[in-house]
Amino acid sequence: MGAPRAGRDGGSAGDGCTGYLRSTSTKPVSVETGFAWVDVRGSYYNTNAQVSDLERLAKQLPKPTTSREPAAASRRRPRTAKQLNAEQTARLIAGYRAGAKLRELGRQFGIHPDTAGLILRRHGVKMRSKGLSPDQEVEAERLYATGLSLKRVGERLGVDGETVRRTLIANDFRLRDQHGRSR
């Protein structure tokens, strides 16, 4: 025998009661069944206290005319790109031609490295190629084969260790794992 079903009127099917469901209780009404009848709808019929609580809370809400937007001063304003003057631009170009990296120049002038590159291209500066030249690739393979780490090879060639790794992989050079064993 399954759980009692509620009838259309809220009572158990066929029991003739309205508004009651059968429930287990610590104090059964009937010793034979061990169930007590519990009124589950009673607390929802007299809603005066609940309505007055909601009305009290509604009075505490801000008026509909009050703006829901945060104050303009507290909102973060969009940043505008820092503009370099002619003298700063000339120093940026001179620094790049002297061999400085875009990341270093960006830090020096307080701009993003991409912005530094954009300024250089806008002024017709020939950008250094990314990656290694064919001669550097051969040297990278030789240095790595002697046991140097990717980082150390990169330092010797003036590039990042990740550049060396990508180059070696592109040339089907077998890399070591982090413990120095061949992969």
Side-chain angles (χ1 to χ4, degrees), residues 4 32 35 76 129 134 147 159 166 181:
E32 295 173 12
F35 290 101
R76 193 169 169 203
S129 64
V159 295
R166 279 194 310 266
R181 298 181 297 243

Side-chain angles (χ1 to χ4, degrees), residues 40-53:
V40 294
R41 296 187 299 181
S43 62
Y44 296 105
Y45 279 110
N46 189 0
T47 58
N48 290 340
Q50 294 166 342
V51 170
S52 56
D53 287 344

Side-chain angles (χ1 to χ4, degrees), residues 12-169:
S12 293
D15 66 359
C17 297
T18 58
Y20 294 96
L21 292 175
R22 194 177 275 192
S23 170
T24 57
S25 174
T26 55
K27 297 180 181 178
V29 173
S30 168
V31 177
E32 295 173 12
T33 61
F35 290 101
W37 296 104
V38 178
D39 182 10
V40 294
R41 296 187 299 181
S43 62
Y44 296 105
Y45 279 110
N46 189 0
T47 58
N48 290 340
Q50 294 166 342
V51 170
S52 56
D53 287 344
L54 283 173
E55 288 172 343
R56 184 178 44 79
L57 288 172
K59 288 179 184 175
Q60 295 175 0
L61 291 173
K63 301 287 183 223
T65 58
T66 305
S67 173
R68 293 182 187 179
E69 297 286 324
S74 67
R75 265 192 279 157
R76 193 169 169 203
R77 293 166 58 188
R79 295 176 56 181
T80 57
K82 180 178 178 180
Q83 302 296 315
L84 299 182
N85 61 33
E87 185 263 327
Q88 290 173 319
T89 303
R91 284 192 359 235
L92 175 79
I93 293 169
Y96 185 76
R97 287 185 174 150
K101 296 180 180 178
L102 290 177
R103 191 177 312 146
E104 296 166 1
L105 292 170
R107 261 189 244 120
Q108 180 182 344
F109 290 98
I111 58 177
H112 193 276
D114 291 346
T115 305
L118 182 67
I119 292 169
L120 292 170
R121 281 189 292 281
R122 197 179 298 147
H123 285 83
V125 176
K126 186 174 182 327
M127 303 300 289
R128 293 189 289 264
S129 64
K130 295 181 180 178
L132 300 174
S133 68
D135 292 339
Q136 287 178 317
E137 288 180 11
V138 172
E139 182 66 8
E141 290 177 6
R142 186 188 70 73
L143 291 171
Y144 187 74
T146 64
L148 288 178
S149 68
L150 294 171
K151 181 179 179 181
R152 298 285 182 233
V153 172
E155 288 172 356
R156 292 220 180 153
L157 297 175
V159 295
D160 191 65
E162 180 61 22
T163 303
V164 174
R165 187 184 79 76
R166 279 194 310 266
T167 302
L168 294 176
I169 289 172

